[in-house]
């Protein structure tokens, strides 16, 4: 009998004892069976994803006069697009044989087991952390938190708005600045936003940014990517070398503290010098370090940015995690990127929350918007905010102090071994920059990974960095000291034991330091210039929830205030609020998925590489494209990346003059903002009254700009909810005049499995994985916007796995012609890719096609039920719509002074989130039901709208006054509905139970109608004091 195998490989030294049981697991003794016909998987997925049964689907088809889903497809989608679906172009990809949930999970687990989970000390903005179980179970894995939409409808979002304002308060307190936003995409893109913030805030100054070479490499490279198309001059050097006066002061300075090699700086005097030149100072920082050291605000900084990942969010091979951004000057708050939660009042004067200053956003300001960011990282911001609530100021400081003490202990040990610690004595928080006395960095990394299964960071050829974190313990420090005690010799296995015989140059262990007192060293020394004396997290929310019981009840109280997909359908047009299935979500908590550092060596990430390669093939097959990048971590970032690929392509063929981007008036609001940031000049193209692109105007604009036409951005089907029959002609016209066609994939849920954009003329597109491919919206993030493109653009996608991510900037690749990175990690929010992979595996090509067909059916079914009352603005020539449609509400405003806002608020009383409101057409609803909703839910929503119409008729008939009726008083909140007094001309039952289905499960909004104007005029973006709640009693 074979008892064991021994495999020696020095680079990846292993000793594996494999017995017969293990061989059986590997399949050596597994027999192949041919299943009889009656053996079928009992947990197939497609029937779970599609909301309606076959019988209900047929009922809806009969209602709209169609015989089958294929008949509907042939009528809705232009025939020239369907003709492209030849066998040669058929959507195919490898899938689980039967599409069962258990098989898909097994296949994915086998793939992800190829990843090697090593102890990591790479740092560079990514750290291992301990996720409190109460938060993992009740936030990250809870559909009441991960399925809501962005909280634009404030009355039904009070829970997560409060959670986000907790996050904002935590960030503002720890960074020492007054105002924080509700998260950004990642640290590097937040740094780029800081650059833009400085330029926008100092418009009269030279567009020069001083960028410290001590920032993280990924931060520097993303800033370089974003600066180039905007013509921003970057001066990259040590901050001590910056000549502010010579360069007119510049718009801003971007620093890092702690620096990328861990060194702490007291920038206070330097900040004063910057302010003398009216130059803004931005500091990238670490929230945990800010519990011990002077905050950016304490030293006078204007902006702070960074990542909150180490606050309760796993590394996840790069993300997702919430970045933060805070400022000090209220006058500049309108220029701050991202969403901001603010305090306001509701109709009865009660305190509440809303997204403030929404007029800054892209749908209104278009190319003049301060940023193109739409999706952020709300779910992860909530995780990090609750991490602060869970630990409180004393808990966070205790974590920071322990990490800092271990770092000082390791520093002392390295010095005792004779190695050179480059940081000043005790002048670091958690990261040590060390020069080994004998070994090169490559030799040291080889010993670390091969013998100790740990990863450290190669800083340059000669030195390394070691970053400790919340999970570090004494054994870890001892292992690191053992590593630095070794000689570089190949270890030998002792055949009679499981131990390795290793040679040591000098031995030392943690026992030498256990009895030392570290309480008065480094940042713990009150005499230190960097010692933090300012208070933080003093609000009660960070100081009262210490037992899990109380914290759990607080979480539950907040989640019960909101509408999510666990409550009812969320029919938001252009948002695709579909099922986020539990089986798709399960893998995100596996260690092989979420405990991998984004800069781990390639051989440790083979599982991710296989997953990414397979998913690239799936997306190429679905889109008809040739290349894919997963770097964009939002749709807006995908738009920017695709346009930048076009820009670099044009530069490569000597046509850098092609900087005009044509955009139809029907375009998504982020399109012009993204085009501006990518260096294009936006020129709009008219649309006809039926929503179709005006071909004559398009040709006229192409002729006018034929020498400079770079790109044309189009959404298909359009944001008006129709499949334009002219799309192939439109693409051909653009190509005729030398332009590239950029397709916004926001509506890909109407194409998947049926139409491949690469075949009808699109050159590049982005996909929203948080729409079509089932990544949850999370109340405003995470998202992911992979870019797919044709062969000629593929070489110009962002670089992956290049030195720009891993080493100090002066050792990075300087590639002028290629596009640099657009996010902090090579594959951005990689840990959520398994969600979309699972969806595609479970649905298979046939299931994806079915989902698209049912989505189109549901929209046309609802359209027909409603169009006799609500005018449907845009239809195809055959009077059909795509997967969404727009109804006009203008007549109700004219006749009864009932606006679309009143409709939206009244829908809350019917248990529903309103559709997309007044976009892309004022005074309208854009309705998108998705394939995951049942016929019963579609009927309930239609009945709700029809019932509200009859309520308006009662106003027309003077049964109720125009200023006192169920619509203008909506929503009827829980406190109002349960009050002893009822001073309205209609009954309580009419207000809160207008239709029978509501009595089965009633949602009550926690507040009455929110006062938007008050919130914008009285900006408050932190947790209000308890005294402010007195009016709520």
């Amino acid at each position: 009998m074979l008892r064991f195998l021994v495999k020696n490989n020095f680079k990846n030294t292993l000793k594996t004892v494999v017995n017969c049981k293990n061989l059986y697991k590997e399949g050596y003794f597994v027999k192949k069976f041919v299943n009889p016909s009656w053996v079928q998987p009992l947990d197939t997925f497609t029937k779970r994803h599609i909301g309606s049964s076959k019988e209900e689907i047929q009922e809806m088809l009969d209602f709209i006069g169609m015989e089958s889903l294929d008949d509907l497809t042939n009528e809705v989608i232009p025939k020239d697009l369907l003709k492209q679906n030849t066998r040669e172009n058929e959507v195919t990809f490898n899938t689980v044989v039967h599409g069962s949930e258990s098989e898909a999970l097994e296949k994915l687990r086998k793939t992800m087991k190829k990843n090697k989970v090593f102890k990591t000390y790479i740092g560079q903005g990514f750290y291992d952390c301990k996720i409190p179980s109460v938060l993992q179970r009740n936030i990250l894995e809870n559909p009441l938190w991960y399925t809501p939409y962005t909280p634009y409808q404030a009355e039904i979002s009070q829970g997560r708005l409060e959670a986000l304002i907790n996050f904002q308060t935590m960030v503002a307190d720890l960074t020492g600045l007054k105002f924080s936003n509700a998260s950004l995409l990642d640290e590097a893109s937040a740094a780029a936003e800081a650059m833009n913030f400085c330029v926008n805030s100092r418009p009269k100054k030279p567009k020069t940014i001083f960028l410290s070479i001590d920032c993280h490499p990924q931060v520097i490279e993303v800033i370089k990517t974003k600066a180039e198309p905007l013509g921003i001059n970057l001066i990259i050097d040590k901050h001590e070398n910056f000549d502010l006066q010579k360069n007119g002061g510049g718009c801003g300075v971007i620093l890092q503290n702690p620096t990328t090699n861990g060194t702490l700086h007291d920038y206070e005097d330097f900040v004063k010098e910057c302010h003398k030149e009216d130059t803004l100072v931005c500091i990238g920082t670490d929230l945990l370090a800010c519990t011990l050291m002077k905050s950016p605000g304490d030293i006078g900084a204007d902006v702070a940015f960074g990542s909150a990942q180490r606050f309760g969010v796993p590394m996840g091979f790069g993300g997702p995690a919430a970045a933060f951004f805070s400022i000090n000057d209220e006058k500049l708050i309108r220029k701050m990127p991202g969403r901001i939660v603010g305090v306001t009042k509701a109709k009865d004067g009660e305190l509440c929350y809303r997204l403030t200053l929404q007029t800054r956003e892209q749908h209104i300001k278009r190319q003049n918007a301060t940023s193109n960011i739409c999706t952020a990282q709300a779910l992860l911001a909530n995780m990090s905010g609750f991490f602060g609530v869970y630990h409180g100021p004393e808990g966070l400081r205790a974590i920071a102090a322990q990490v800092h003490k271990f770092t000082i202990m390791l520093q002392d040990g390295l010095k005792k071994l004779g190695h050179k610690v480059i940081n000043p004595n005790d002048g670091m928080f958690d990261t040590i920059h060390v020069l080994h006395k004998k070994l090169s960095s490559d030799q040291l990394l080889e010993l670390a990974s091969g013998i100790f299964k740990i990863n450290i960071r190669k800083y340059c050829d000669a030195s390394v960095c070691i970053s400790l974190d919340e999970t570090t313990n004494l054994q870890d420090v001892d292992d690191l000291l053992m590593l630095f005690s070794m000689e570089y010799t190949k270890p030998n296995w002792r055949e009679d034991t499981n131990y390795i015989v290793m040679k040591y140059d000098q031995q030392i262990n943690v026992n030498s330091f256990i009895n030392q007192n570290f309480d008065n060293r480094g940042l713990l020394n009150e005499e230190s210039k960097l010692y933090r004396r300012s208070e933080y997290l003093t609000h009660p929310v960070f100081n009262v929830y210490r037992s899990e019981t109380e914290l759990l009840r607080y979480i539950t109280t907040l989640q019960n205030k909101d509408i999510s997909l666990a409550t009812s359908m969320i029919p938001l047009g252009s948002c695709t609020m579909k099922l986020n299935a539990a089986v798709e979500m399960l893998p995100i908590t596996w260690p092989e998925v979420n405990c991998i550092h984004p800069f781990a060596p390639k051989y440790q990430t083979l599982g991710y590489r296989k997953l990414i390669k397979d998913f690239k093939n799936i997306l190429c097959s679905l889109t008809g494209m040739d290349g894919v990048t997963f770097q964009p971590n939002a749709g807006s970032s995908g738009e920017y990346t695709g346009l930048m690929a076009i820009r670099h392509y044009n530069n490569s063929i000597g046509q850098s003059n092609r900087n005009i981007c044509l955009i139809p008036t029907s375009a998504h609001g982020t399109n012009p903002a993204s085009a501006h940031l990518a260096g294009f000049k936006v020129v709009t193209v008219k649309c006809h009254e039926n929503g179709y692109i005006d071909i004559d105007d398009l040709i006229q604009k192409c002729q006018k700009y034929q020498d400079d036409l770079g790109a044309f951005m189009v959404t298909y089907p359009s944001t008006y909810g129709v499949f334009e029959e002219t799309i192939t002609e439109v693409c051909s016209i653009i190509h005729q005049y030398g332009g590239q066609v950029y397709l916004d994939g926001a509506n890909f849920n109407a194409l998947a499995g049926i139409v491949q954009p690469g075949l009808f003329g699109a050159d590049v597109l982005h996909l929203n994985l948080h729409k079509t491919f089932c990544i949850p919206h999370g109340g405003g993030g995470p998202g992911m916007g992979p870019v797919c493109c044709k062969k000629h653009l593929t070489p110009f996608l962002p670089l992956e796995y290049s030195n720009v991510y891993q080493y100090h900037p002066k050792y990075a690749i300087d590639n002028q012609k290629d596009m640099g990175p657009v996010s902090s990690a090579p594959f951005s929010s990689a840990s959520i890719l398994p969600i979309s992979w699972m969806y595609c595996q479970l649905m298979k090509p046939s299931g994806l096609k079915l989902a698209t067909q049912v989505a189109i059916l549901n929209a046309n079914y609802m359209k027909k039920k409603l169009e006799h009352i609500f005018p449907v603005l845009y239809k195809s020539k055959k009077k059909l719509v795509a997967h969404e449609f727009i109804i006009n509400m203008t007549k109700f405003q004219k006749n009864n002074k009932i606006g679309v806002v009143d409709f939206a608020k009244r829908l809350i009383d019917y248990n529903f989130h309103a559709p997309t409101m007044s976009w892309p057409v004022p005074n309208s609803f854009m309705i998108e039901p998705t394939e995951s909703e049942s016929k019963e839910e579609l009927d309930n929503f239609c009945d709700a709208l029809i019932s509200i119409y009859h309520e308006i008729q009662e106003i027309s008939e003077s049964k109720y006054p125009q200023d006192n009726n169920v619509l203008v008083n909506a929503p009827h909140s829980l406190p109002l509905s349960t009050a002893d007094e009822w001073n309205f001309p209609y009954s309580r039952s009419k207000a809160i139970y207008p239709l029978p289905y509501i009595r089965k499960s009633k949602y009550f909004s926690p507040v009455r109608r929110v006062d938007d104007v008050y919130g914008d005029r009285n900006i408050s973006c932190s947790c209000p004091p308890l005294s402010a709640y007195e009016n709520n009693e």
Side-chain angles (χ1 to χ4, degrees):
M1 179 184 293
L2 180 64
R3 293 182 59 85
F4 62 85
L5 300 171
V6 177
K7 179 181 179 182
N8 284 316
N9 181 321
F10 180 63
K11 185 172 183 180
N12 183 18
T13 308
L14 300 171
K15 182 171 184 180
T16 307
V17 178
V18 185
N19 56 28
C20 291
K21 183 179 180 181
N22 292 332
L23 289 173
Y24 181 83
K25 284 183 178 179
E26 293 296 321
Y28 288 96
F29 304 132
V30 175
K31 297 179 180 179
K32 301 293 183 181
F33 296 100
V34 177
N35 287 328
S37 59
W38 53 267
V39 176
Q40 295 293 331
L42 303 177
D43 59 345
T44 52
F45 178 75
T46 303
K47 63 185 179 184
R48 303 293 184 187
H49 179 79
I50 304 295
S52 297
S53 65
K54 291 182 179 179
E55 293 75 19
E56 289 170 328
I57 288 173
Q58 191 58 53
E59 285 181 42
M60 290 190 285
L61 286 167
D62 294 341
F63 181 77
I64 64 173
M66 296 287 170
E67 291 187 7
S68 67
L69 288 171
D70 286 341
D71 287 342
L72 175 62
T73 302
N74 292 334
E75 292 296 309
V76 171
I77 299 177
K79 285 185 168 48
D80 64 322
L81 302 188
L82 294 175
K83 286 179 182 178
Q84 297 167 351
N85 292 340
T86 62
R87 177 167 294 184
E88 180 182 346
N89 297 322
E90 185 179 3
V91 174
T92 58
F93 51 83
N94 293 328
T95 61
V96 178
V97 177
H98 297 293
S100 76
E101 295 184 13
S102 55
E103 284 181 297
L105 282 172
E106 183 180 353
K107 182 176 180 180
L108 181 60
R109 189 177 286 280
K110 187 175 180 180
T111 296
M112 300 314 286
K113 283 287 187 183
K114 295 178 181 179
N115 293 331
K116 299 181 186 298
V117 183
F118 281 21
K119 186 74 177 178
T120 182
Y121 304 102
I122 297 173
Q124 213 173 320
F126 297 91
Y127 300 88
D128 203 358
C129 63
K130 296 177 181 177
I131 307 171
S133 299
V134 65
L135 302 187
Q136 177 171 317
R137 179 78 167 179
N138 296 290
I139 303 290
L140 185 63
E141 299 175 350
N142 186 347
L144 276 75
W145 286 93
Y146 67 68
T147 66
Y149 187 62
T150 306
Y152 287 120
Q153 290 286 321
E155 294 84 357
I156 57 173
S157 310
Q158 287 299 296
R160 60 191 185 280
L161 283 169
E162 182 172 333
L164 287 172
I165 210 164
N166 291 345
F167 172 80
Q168 290 181 180
T169 303
M170 179 183 74
V171 169
D173 278 10
L174 292 176
T175 60
L177 300 172
K178 294 178 182 177
F179 305 99
S180 167
N181 68 12
S183 77
L184 291 176
L185 298 172
D186 61 24
E187 182 172 15
S189 60
E193 293 292 343
M195 172 187 71
N196 291 339
F197 176 86
C198 292
V199 172
N200 293 332
S201 300
R202 295 291 185 267
K204 295 182 180 180
K205 301 199 71 177
K207 292 173 69 173
T208 297
I209 295 291
F210 298 91
L211 176 59
S212 171
I213 201 169
D214 290 325
C215 292
H216 291 314
Q218 70 269 26
V219 167
I220 292 175
E221 295 302 324
V222 170
I223 287 177
K224 285 165 62 176
T225 299
K226 298 292 182 76
E228 183 269 329
L230 296 175
I232 296 173
N233 177 36
L234 294 178
I235 298 176
I236 306 175
D237 204 340
K238 291 280 188 181
H239 77 276
E240 299 95 331
N241 300 333
F242 291 156
D243 189 340
L244 297 173
Q245 292 182 339
K246 180 180 178 182
N247 293 277
C251 298
V253 172
I254 300 177
L255 310 168
Q256 191 109 27
N257 203 28
T259 65
T260 190
N261 76 338
T263 299
L264 298 173
H265 284 288
D266 184 359
Y267 290 118
E268 192 165 356
D269 291 338
F270 177 73
V271 170
K272 290 177 182 177
E273 292 299 314
C274 292
H275 287 165
K276 287 179 183 179
E277 301 295 328
D278 195 30
T279 302
L280 295 173
V281 177
C282 311
I283 297 181
T285 193
D286 182 298
L287 292 181
L288 193 62
C290 285
T291 65
L292 299 181
M293 72 174 187
K294 278 184 179 178
S295 70
D298 290 335
I299 62 175
D302 302 286
V303 176
F305 64 88
S307 171
Q309 176 266 314
R310 72 189 308 172
F311 275 29
V313 178
M315 293 180 289
F317 199 42
F324 59 85
F325 194 101
S326 57
I327 66 171
N328 211 40
D329 189 348
E330 183 175 346
K331 295 177 183 178
L332 298 178
I333 195 169
R334 291 182 180 272
K335 299 185 182 298
M336 185 160 64
R339 299 188 177 102
I340 309 167
V341 179
V343 180
T344 187
K345 293 182 178 180
K347 195 166 187 176
D348 285 338
E350 66 264 46
L351 194 71
C352 58
Y353 309 99
R354 64 181 284 270
L355 290 181
T356 193
L357 301 175
Q358 292 185 35
T359 53
R360 305 170 311 124
E361 296 204 6
Q362 305 80 16
H363 298 294
I364 296 172
K365 300 199 74 173
R366 295 173 68 83
Q367 65 265 30
N368 296 318
T370 56
S371 168
N372 72 331
I373 288 177
C374 186
T375 297
Q377 302 286 16
L379 179 65
L380 296 316
N382 285 334
M383 284 287 290
S384 293
F386 274 113
F387 187 85
V389 171
Y390 177 86
H391 285 290
E394 75 286 353
L396 293 178
R397 195 178 192 283
I399 294 170
Q402 180 165 297
V403 172
H404 191 46
K405 288 176 183 179
F406 278 138
T407 307
I408 294 173
M409 178 187 290
L410 179 60
Q411 169 204 247
D412 292 350
L414 292 172
K415 288 181 176 180
K416 196 169 183 178
L417 287 168
H419 306 296
K420 182 179 180 181
V421 174
I422 297 173
N423 315 92
N425 188 50
D426 293 356
M428 76 290 288
F429 167 60
D430 64 5
T431 299
I432 298 174
H433 184 193
V434 59
L435 180 67
H436 198 284
K437 61 184 179 182
K438 291 184 179 179
L439 305 184
S440 69
S441 55
D442 287 335
Q443 291 172 326
L444 202 55
L445 264 64
E446 194 172 354
L447 287 174
S449 60
I451 296 175
F452 292 95
K453 301 294 184 289
I454 63 177
N455 294 318
I456 56 179
R457 175 187 170 194
K458 178 179 179 180
Y459 186 82
C460 64
D461 290 339
S463 63
V464 298
C465 284
I466 307 165
S467 296
L468 307 187
D469 57 50
E470 181 188 3
T471 67
T472 303
N473 56 37
L474 281 172
Q475 181 62 59
D476 297 326
V477 176
D478 195 63
D479 288 346
L480 288 165
L481 291 175
M482 285 181 65
L483 167 65
F484 277 83
S485 301
M486 290 180 61
E487 291 184 354
Y488 184 69
T489 55
K490 184 175 180 179
N492 298 314
W493 289 104
R494 285 184 56 182
E495 296 300 329
D496 57 333
T497 72
N498 289 329
Y499 294 100
I500 304 171
V501 178
M502 298 179 291
K503 292 184 179 180
Y504 292 91
D505 177 63
Q506 179 183 356
Q507 270 192 284
I508 192 172
N509 58 49
V510 296
N511 290 326
S512 307
F513 306 98
I514 285 178
N515 295 323
Q516 287 190 20
N517 182 10
F518 297 99
D519 290 334
N520 197 35
R521 294 184 60 182
L523 293 174
L524 302 175
N525 183 356
E526 294 187 17
E527 301 301 318
S528 168
K529 289 184 178 180
L530 289 172
Y531 180 82
R532 177 160 190 167
R533 291 171 175 80
S534 56
E535 290 185 319
Y536 51 85
L537 305 187
T538 58
H539 191 276
V541 75
F542 299 106
N543 293 278
V544 298
Y545 300 109
R546 290 297 170 267
S547 77
E548 182 168 324
T549 303
E550 291 303 315
L551 180 59
L552 177 60
R553 288 171 183 164
Y554 177 54
I555 292 171
T556 303
T557 297
L558 295 188
Q559 72 189 30
N560 289 342
K561 294 181 178 182
D562 295 358
I563 284 181
S564 68
L565 285 176
T567 312
S568 58
M569 173 172 70
I570 301 179
L572 285 157
S574 195
C575 297
T576 315
M577 299 295 293
K578 65 202 294 183
L579 173 69
N580 312 122
V583 68
E584 297 160 359
M585 298 293 292
L586 281 175
I588 66 171
T589 57
W590 294 351
E592 302 86 358
V593 173
N594 66 23
C595 291
I596 307 294
H597 195 285
F599 309 142
K602 296 180 183 180
Y603 75 90
Q604 295 175 21
T605 61
L606 297 180
Y608 261 117
R609 289 172 167 281
K610 175 72 164 60
L611 175 82
I612 289 167
K613 181 181 178 181
D614 289 350
F615 195 43
K616 278 185 177 181
N617 292 336
I618 290 172
L619 295 187
C620 285
S621 180
L622 287 170
T623 60
M625 296 292 183
D626 304 303
V628 181
T629 178
F630 289 106
Q631 251 185 58
N633 44 18
S636 55
S637 180
E639 292 173 9
Y640 176 85
T641 302
L643 289 167
M644 285 293 288
I646 292 173
R647 176 185 174 87
H648 282 279
Y649 167 75
N650 284 333
N651 291 346
S652 74
I653 59 175
Q655 297 184 17
S656 57
N657 55 293
R658 291 192 173 275
N659 65 345
I660 297 296
C661 183
L662 301 181
I663 302 180
T665 54
S666 62
H668 195 277
T670 57
N671 289 175
S674 297
H676 167 72
L677 292 174
F680 287 91
K681 296 178 182 178
V682 175
V683 176
T684 57
V685 176
K686 296 177 183 177
C687 289
H688 292 297
E689 288 187 1
N690 66 356
Y692 284 35
I693 294 170
D694 186 330
I695 298 293
D696 292 337
D697 188 58
L698 176 67
I699 294 174
Q700 181 183 344
K701 299 288 172 58
C702 285
Q703 291 174 341
K704 181 178 179 178
Y705 299 106
Q706 59 183 322
D707 294 332
D708 300 318
L709 177 60
F712 174 71
M713 297 188 81
V714 61
T715 304
Y716 198 77
S718 75
T719 50
Y720 291 148
V722 291
F723 284 98
E724 298 179 48
E725 292 86 354
T726 56
I727 186 62
T728 302
E729 180 186 359
V730 165
C731 294
S732 177
I733 292 169
I734 298 300
H735 291 150
Q736 178 185 340
Y737 288 95
Q740 302 292 312
V741 176
Y742 182 98
L743 186 100
D744 186 319
N747 292 340
F748 195 72
N749 208 50
L751 302 175
I754 299 177
V755 176
Q756 297 159 288
L759 300 183
F760 66 65
D763 298 291
V764 59
L765 63 85
H766 84 268
L767 299 170
N768 297 90
L769 298 190
H770 49 289
K771 296 182 181 182
T772 308
F773 295 93
C774 294
I775 286 173
H777 280 74
M784 212 165 170
V787 170
C788 310
C789 64
K790 303 297 283 186
K791 281 183 180 179
H792 65 287
L793 295 178
T794 299
F796 304 97
L797 294 176
L799 298 172
E800 296 172 352
Y801 279 115
S802 68
N803 290 352
V804 299
Y805 279 111
Q806 297 180 45
Y807 309 138
H808 191 268
K810 68 180 180 181
Y811 299 98
I813 293 174
D814 184 15
N815 229 323
Q816 294 295 324
K817 71 171 185 175
D818 289 332
M819 181 178 172
V822 296
S823 67
S824 288
F827 302 105
S828 65
S829 300
S831 67
I832 52 178
L833 284 176
I835 300 171
S836 299
W837 182 92
M838 283 287 292
Y839 173 65
C840 292
Q841 287 292 320
L842 290 164
M843 293 295 284
K844 301 184 289 187
S846 59
L848 294 175
K849 177 182 177 181
L850 176 62
T852 299
Q853 291 178 314
V854 174
I856 294 172
L857 169 63
N858 288 351
N860 280 278
Y861 172 74
M862 294 180 71
K863 187 260 315 180
K864 185 161 186 179
K865 287 200 73 171
L866 295 172
E867 63 186 352
H868 67 289
I869 294 177
F870 302 98
V872 176
L873 287 177
Y874 305 106
K875 308 173 193 176
S876 69
K877 294 177 181 177
K878 295 182 180 180
K879 307 303 179 185
L880 296 169
V881 296
H883 65 309
E884 61 189 6
F885 61 100
I886 300 174
I887 58 176
N888 190 358
M889 321 295 277
T890 304
K891 66 178 181 180
F892 304 111
Q893 177 69 45
K894 290 181 178 179
N895 300 334
N896 306 103
K897 296 184 179 179
I898 298 297
V900 66
V901 173
D902 299 310
F903 262 93
K905 306 308 180 186
R906 182 57 175 155
L907 275 170
I908 297 171
D909 292 328
Y910 285 81
N911 285 10
F912 282 112
H913 190 300
T916 301
M917 185 171 59
S918 292
W919 186 85
V921 179
N923 301 312
S924 70
F925 275 153
M926 179 161 59
I927 302 170
E928 181 184 358
T930 85
E931 71 276 10
S932 298
E933 299 299 337
S934 67
K935 178 178 179 296
E936 179 183 11
E937 190 74 352
L938 305 182
D939 289 337
N940 286 344
F941 183 79
C942 291
D943 291 345
L945 283 179
I946 293 169
S947 176
I948 294 172
Y949 166 77
H950 290 304
E951 291 171 349
I952 295 176
Q953 294 305 107
E954 292 175 334
I955 300 170
S956 298
E957 296 165 1
S958 300
K959 290 184 179 180
Y960 302 104
Q962 288 185 345
D963 62 351
N964 191 7
N965 55 70
V966 288
L967 279 92
V968 298
N969 291 328
H972 297 84
S973 66
L974 181 60
L976 177 68
S977 301
T978 56
D980 293 335
E981 294 184 3
W982 186 260
N983 299 317
F984 299 103
Y986 47 87
S987 70
R988 196 185 302 258
S989 177
K990 182 179 181 64
I992 62 178
Y993 294 115
L995 288 176
Y997 76 84
I998 302 171
R999 293 186 179 273
K1000 296 178 182 178
S1001 178
K1002 170 64 181 174
Y1003 167 80
F1004 285 98
S1005 62
V1007 297
R1008 295 191 67 189
R1009 191 172 302 193
V1010 167
D1011 188 335
D1012 294 327
V1013 175
Y1014 179 89
D1016 282 351
R1017 289 179 177 174
N1018 301 273
I1019 297 173
S1020 175
C1021 304
S1022 297
C1023 295
L1026 287 182
S1027 59
Y1029 291 90
E1030 291 175 358
N1031 291 333
N1032 291 12
E1033 297 296 328

